[in-house]
Amino acid sequence: MASPFGFPCASVLFLAILSLCEAQIFTALTHMTDFIHLERSFSSILEEYIQESAAVLPPETMRFSNEVKRYLKDINEENMETFLGHPVNSYLLVRRFLREWRDIVDKLDKSHPVGMELVELIKEHNDSFPDLEDLKGCALAILRIQEVYHISAKKIADGNLSSKTRSPELSAVHCFELGVMKHHWEQYEEAYGWLTEAWERFTPQDNRSGITTYDVLQYLIWAEYKTGRFESALNHTNVLIEEG
């Protein structure tokens, strides 16, 4: 029997069980649905804050708000289980709670009543947020499916992991994180695919997300060297030197 994602159900179930063993309880479906509901509340308050704020807001705040709205707009109670069963969707959700919702607190005007409302709500639920092990568990689910079904990093990053259920495109930062995991496992061919996507998708706003072109190139050059792509490694080394 086929799964909603175009993969054999038994294989997907096996991979899901493996990823749950790696992650903590937050990756269980019931907890993930709680995060969806909580994120709806966060997003609604953030949107109200943006509309009422007289100050010029940081572009990353606007970008993040729009990103969350795009993520949530097609989710309803009927399709939530299918949506969250998609490993990319789960990865992005957990990552936002682990990093971006916490980061947004520092960008809000605490003197604004709506801004303060969001700060207090985030702090109230902060202890229940997922941790790094939960994010790693979600990332492992993506990488295991990639390995078993021989799916390219580009296809996954473009939102086409499944032929039946699309997911948002991955950013340079997401691709970099997945590439670094493959790099640490010394799976350099797969690391090369992810790091190439990170390099090609890199934009100036990614500098504000905690990575630089230097970071991406360092890992990409090593992956190219380890996979025999010596000319590309040399070309990217020259780019690295020029940017340095």
Side-chain angles (χ1 to χ4, degrees):
M1 183 175 69
S3 79
F5 309 113
F7 304 123
C9 275
S11 297
V12 171
L13 180 60
F14 175 67
L15 290 166
I17 290 171
L18 282 177
S19 66
L20 284 170
C21 290
E22 297 286 348
Q24 295 180 3
I25 193 169
F26 297 105
T27 50
L29 186 60
T30 53
H31 290 268
M32 297 294 279
T33 56
D34 289 343
F35 285 133
I36 289 287
H37 295 308
L38 186 58
E39 185 162 58
R40 285 194 193 281
S41 298
F42 288 177
S43 178
S44 177
I45 298 172
L46 179 59
E47 180 65 17
E48 182 182 354
Y49 170 78
I50 290 171
Q51 291 176 357
E52 292 187 6
S53 179
V56 177
L57 299 175
E60 54 265 33
T61 300
M62 305 293 292
R63 176 200 58 78
F64 177 66
S65 177
N66 290 331
E67 176 186 304
V68 173
K69 285 189 292 184
R70 284 195 302 271
Y71 180 91
L72 294 173
K73 69 180 178 66
D74 295 325
I75 309 174
N76 54 52
E77 294 299 326
E78 288 71 31
N79 71 3
M80 193 175 294
E81 182 174 345
T82 299
F83 182 87
L84 290 173
H86 193 301
V88 172
N89 291 331
S90 294
Y91 167 79
L92 293 174
L93 178 65
V94 168
R95 191 183 189 282
R96 285 198 300 276
F97 274 93
L98 175 64
R99 296 187 177 155
E100 290 158 302
W101 280 115
R102 284 171 171 152
D103 291 344
I104 207 74
V105 168
D106 296 328
K107 298 179 175 68
L108 297 174
D109 179 1
K110 311 301 189 297
S111 66
H112 193 292
V114 179
M116 195 60 204
E117 179 186 358
L118 181 54
V119 169
E120 290 176 349
L121 187 60
I122 290 173
K123 288 183 176 179
E124 177 186 343
H125 292 277
N126 185 64
D127 289 343
S128 68
F129 281 12
D131 60 22
L132 185 58
E133 290 305 308
D134 301 309
L135 182 64
K136 286 170 63 178
C138 292
L140 282 169
I142 297 172
L143 297 177
R144 283 179 176 139
I145 289 176
Q146 178 190 20
E147 182 177 351
V148 170
Y149 293 100
H150 307 291
I151 304 170
S152 70
K154 176 174 174 51
K155 188 172 182 179
I156 298 172
D158 284 344
N160 298 317
L161 171 63
S162 160
S163 60
K164 297 184 179 181
T165 304
R166 278 190 56 81
S167 58
E169 291 190 16
L170 297 179
S171 70
V173 177
H174 304 141
C175 294
F176 178 71
E177 289 179 352
L178 293 167
V180 169
M181 289 184 72
K182 283 291 189 180
H183 182 278
H184 287 163
W185 298 339
E186 299 183 353
Q187 296 175 356
Y188 295 111
E189 187 64 40
E190 292 85 356
Y192 166 77
W194 284 110
L195 294 166
T196 297
E197 290 303 311
W199 175 243
E200 292 179 351
R201 292 164 190 263
F202 198 92
T203 65
Q205 74 179 25
D206 289 307
N207 284 308
R208 295 189 287 269
S209 300
I211 66 169
T212 64
T213 54
Y214 182 85
D215 297 324
V216 177
L217 282 173
Q218 270 197 313
Y219 280 96
L220 177 57
I221 290 166
W222 186 246
E224 288 171 332
Y225 171 75
K226 296 295 287 187
T227 56
R229 296 175 171 91
F230 303 120
E231 185 175 351
S232 292
L234 179 59
N235 290 337
H236 283 135
T237 299
N238 290 332
V239 173
L240 190 65
I241 293 171
E242 290 171 4
E243 293 197 353

